[in-house]
Amino acid sequence: MTHTAQPSLHPRSEREDAIGIPPQRPTLVPAERYHCAEFAKLEAERVWPRVWQFACTVDHVAEPGDYFEYRCGPYSVLVVRGDDGELRAFQNVCRHRGNSLCTGAGSQLRELRCGYHGWTWDLQGSLRRVPHRKGFGALALSEFPLLAVQVDTWERLVFVNLDVTAMPLRDYLETVPDDIAWNRLSEFRCYATMTIDVDANWKTIADGFSETYHIQMLHPELHRCMDDVFAPQTIWGHTGKSEQLYGVPSPHLEESVDDAAVWDAYVCTQGALMGVAEGAPFPEHTPAASASEAIAGRTRTFASERGVDLAWATDDQIMRLHQYNVFPNLSVLTNADHLTVLTSRPGSDPDRGELVMTLWMRMPPGAPRTKPADVRLNADEAHPGLVLSQDIAVLPGLQRGLHQPGLTHVVLSNEERRIINMHRNLERYLDVPEAERMTGGETEGAPA
């Protein structure tokens, strides 16, 4: 017997569509922001040194002596777990001649010694040794500590901020931690990161995980197992949120889609999340009344095979993806048994960037910590699943198009308002002159 997929009955707030209240006219954003060298220079001067950025996970720096180098554009930050157990971060620079102290990630660090002339700091950042010190005259070691960087954690995500006077991380994240507190993110463990070099600006990359408007065209498989219409969005300030229900076909589809087709589409695009290989047939023998219930049930089984009890989670908490955007470049995608963190970072020039995928799995209490595997690939080598591969493939063409002389502005719908909000925050940090700001849409009359 084949069941016909039916939309779930949700509270009224969850039945809001992705557009919300339509604006009087579209929002126009200057296209040169995505490729102009001068604009990128302003971002490097006024944004990246002042914002909280997701750098690594607690799993990277869990033990004394663990370290992780975080790079963003010209900036490099060392996140270090001290021998006293404290987490600290420093600008990755020797106070003598500016050499980088460490690269990559590692463990069992006992001190931070410059490989050029041997200046050495302890893991608390205090200068301890200077070879041939008398040549400097009256050199007070206490005057040359490592340059501190703010570091803080939200659940198992480690953030850094080069501005030591910046607002606390908890304030910067606004409503996000409270909104997702039900999901017990502390139970997730990072098992890998994938850094993908892309021929596109960091904003071009970030835009791709800030709207659902593209799903009906770019992701036809996903369109058959996800509601991209009744996908409410919220903007808080630095942050925003979207929700998408999986296990049901898009209301945009005109043809009838039965449960077996919804199941097939979900297995094709998300099967790994429930431990099911591509091509697995719809479980006709189960008493499930819908594809959504079958998927939720199989997800619970997959979790139990790892020793994780998802009895506390409703079907809706398993099937509804909560996607949080944090200015400027972070997206957190999560449901009751899934967590993926995406970031985009500037590359060597405005037409190049990095997409960083941080992959997690919910683990049972007391599960042993494992060191994440960190890999770096170019876009042609990376195969991060069907949907993200489709997203990555379109980016170089987008970036080339943004250079066309006739394209003075990109034209945004209210369905893309998380992108609009990113530009609104960008204008505030860069102090963009009024004549160069975006126009139309909900920007008119909005607070700066």
Side-chain angles (χ1 to χ4, degrees), residues 4-10 15 227 230 245 248-249 251:
T4 299
Q6 299 292 330
S8 301
L9 296 176
H10 313 306
R15 294 292 291 172
D227 185 346
F230 297 108
L245 183 67
V248 296

Side-chain angles (χ1 to χ4, degrees), residues 362-438:
R362 190 184 291 278
M363 299 301 291
R369 171 242 185 175
T370 58
K371 196 81 167 179
D374 300 316
V375 298
R376 188 179 194 109
L377 304 165
N378 63 44
D380 293 332
E381 297 169 327
H383 303 287
L386 176 65
V387 174
L388 273 170
S389 293
Q390 291 168 336
D391 286 323
I392 293 168
V394 79
L395 292 173
L398 275 170
Q399 190 64 29
R400 286 194 301 272
L402 289 162
H403 279 272
Q404 296 303 304
L407 189 77
T408 58
H409 294 77
V410 296
V411 184
L412 300 181
S413 154
N414 208 45
E415 194 167 349
E416 299 162 298
R417 63 185 176 274
R418 284 176 290 151
I419 299 176
I420 296 170
N421 191 55
M422 183 271 288
H423 281 280
R424 181 178 295 121
N425 279 294
L426 202 56
E427 290 180 345
R428 180 165 56 86
Y429 275 83
L430 298 183
D431 194 22
V432 173
E434 188 67 32
E436 299 173 17
R437 297 194 170 207
M438 54 186 176

Side-chain angles (χ1 to χ4, degrees), residues 85-164:
E86 288 294 315
L87 194 62
R88 296 179 178 86
F90 308 102
Q91 294 186 34
N92 186 16
V93 59
C94 174
R95 296 294 303 273
H96 172 217
R97 294 263 298 278
N99 188 39
S100 296
L101 297 172
C102 289
T103 58
S107 58
Q108 300 182 336
L109 194 68
R110 295 290 176 261
E111 59 187 13
L112 290 160
R113 183 173 59 185
C114 177
Y116 197 10
H117 296 93
W119 284 39
T120 303
W121 289 261
D122 63 24
L123 299 189
Q124 287 74 47
S126 297
L127 182 58
R128 293 305 185 199
R129 291 192 300 279
V130 173
H132 308 295
R133 182 175 165 186
K134 72 175 185 178
F136 293 93
L139 175 68
L141 298 186
S142 61
E143 293 180 2
F144 297 95
L146 292 179
L147 302 171
V149 171
Q150 280 208 73
V151 62
D152 203 350
T153 60
W154 167 46
E155 299 295 357
R156 299 184 70 80
L157 283 71
V158 178
F159 291 78
V160 296
N161 194 323
L162 285 156
D163 181 0
V164 295

